[in-house]
Amino acid sequence: MPQRLNAEWRLQVANADKVKEQYGGTLGNLTLTKYNQEMSNKPYSEKKEFYKGSNVSLTREVAETYNQWGKEAIIDRTKELTDELIQIFPMPNIKEVNEEEITGEYTIDQPVNVTGKAPVQITINENEYPVKTWKQMLKIFLNDLWNRDSLNYDRIKENNQISRMLFRPHNAPATLENGTVIETNFSASVILAIITKISEICDITDQVSYTVK
């Protein structure tokens, strides 16, 4: 079915404009040919003769299989081609790959997609802290940072982005051991980004790692 319909196509195919809009760009309506200019928007009955002589088996099959061309033919061919493609290029088991890839221990600056995963431990300067949630991991990290060097808080607050995110609690405030109230309403990836950024500011990136399951 061509991109520009003429009167013949509209006469031969019911609701031709709607069919073209919905199915014209789908896999079933596409094939390989070197006669695009010659065929242009000719009706299928004429295009079929070109397809019969094609040196591409995929295109010859169109003429051999379908006497008429319209919605039903496009849907049927789309299904046939899709089934063939899935057999040739089977989809990987993404879930299994993800579980294998991200379960384990990672340094804080490693790019890891932790969506759907839970932390079980954060290690800071060889001190291991068991955790159950990402919010808890953020609190423990900040508490450890304060207890080891309170001057690091000054460095953190000098960073406008981190200061704006952490120290203006709104949705899920939490209180640290030093009495500071922080915001914890962040996704896992954002919490990791915050911890990574703070570790870079305080020059402790090589001392921080975490474990997920």
Side-chain angles (χ1 to χ4, degrees):
M1 206 170 191
Q3 293 182 352
R4 294 189 303 276
L5 299 180
N6 56 22
E8 291 184 78
W9 274 99
R10 292 188 174 95
L11 289 172
Q12 292 181 14
V13 179
N15 300 313
D17 289 283
K18 185 175 181 180
V19 172
K20 189 212 70 159
E21 180 180 352
Q22 188 169 359
Y23 300 101
T26 60
L27 181 63
N29 193 52
L30 306 176
T31 194
L32 298 171
T33 176
K34 63 179 180 179
Y35 303 113
N36 275 348
Q37 289 185 343
E38 292 90 336
M39 290 188 295
S40 184
N41 61 348
K42 290 180 179 179
Y44 178 69
S45 58
E46 295 184 34
K47 286 187 174 183
K48 186 178 176 181
E49 298 305 312
F50 286 93
Y51 297 159
K52 284 180 180 180
S54 174
N55 60 351
V56 180
S57 60
L58 187 72
T59 302
R60 288 199 306 272
E61 289 172 1
V62 174
E64 294 167 359
T65 307
Y66 303 98
N67 291 321
Q68 296 181 331
W69 196 255
K71 176 181 175 181
E72 290 74 17
I74 296 174
I75 292 175
D76 181 75
R77 187 164 179 265
T78 298
K79 182 181 183 305
E80 293 295 324
L81 292 178
T82 300
D83 290 342
E84 288 185 28
L85 284 170
I86 291 174
Q87 290 179 9
I88 298 170
F89 306 106
M91 292 181 62
N93 190 327
I94 300 299
K95 182 177 180 181
E96 290 185 2
V97 171
N98 283 344
E99 287 179 350
E100 181 181 350
E101 285 182 352
I102 71 169
T103 299
E105 183 176 7
Y106 296 89
T107 58
I108 196 63
D109 57 344
Q110 280 184 268
V112 180
N113 181 3
V114 294
T115 303
K117 293 297 180 180
V120 294
Q121 179 177 287
I122 181 170
T123 302
I124 309 169
N125 194 26
E126 299 185 354
N127 294 319
E128 298 178 350
Y129 301 97
V131 296
K132 294 182 179 180
T133 67
W134 296 104
K135 293 179 181 180
Q136 184 185 15
M137 192 168 98
L138 176 62
K139 286 183 62 178
I140 287 176
F141 171 77
L142 292 172
N143 283 331
D144 180 272
L145 192 69
W146 170 265
N147 290 329
R148 285 193 296 122
D149 186 357
S150 60
L151 292 178
N152 280 328
Y153 261 79
D154 294 331
R155 299 175 192 166
I156 296 172
K157 290 182 177 180
E158 288 173 0
N159 184 282
N160 292 331
Q161 184 181 29
I162 295 297
S163 181
R164 185 172 61 253
M165 294 177 70
L166 275 182
F167 302 114
R168 297 180 185 177
H170 178 65
N171 294 315
T175 304
L176 302 179
E177 292 177 0
N178 63 3
T180 302
V181 179
I182 63 167
E183 177 61 69
T184 64
N185 187 35
F186 305 112
S187 66
S189 59
V190 171
I191 287 176
L192 284 178
I194 291 173
I195 295 176
T196 301
K197 184 65 176 179
I198 293 174
S199 298
E200 292 172 353
I201 293 171
C202 300
D203 196 24
I204 58 169
T205 302
D206 60 342
Q207 301 175 27
V208 184
S209 63
Y210 65 99
T211 304
V212 294
K213 67 174 182 179

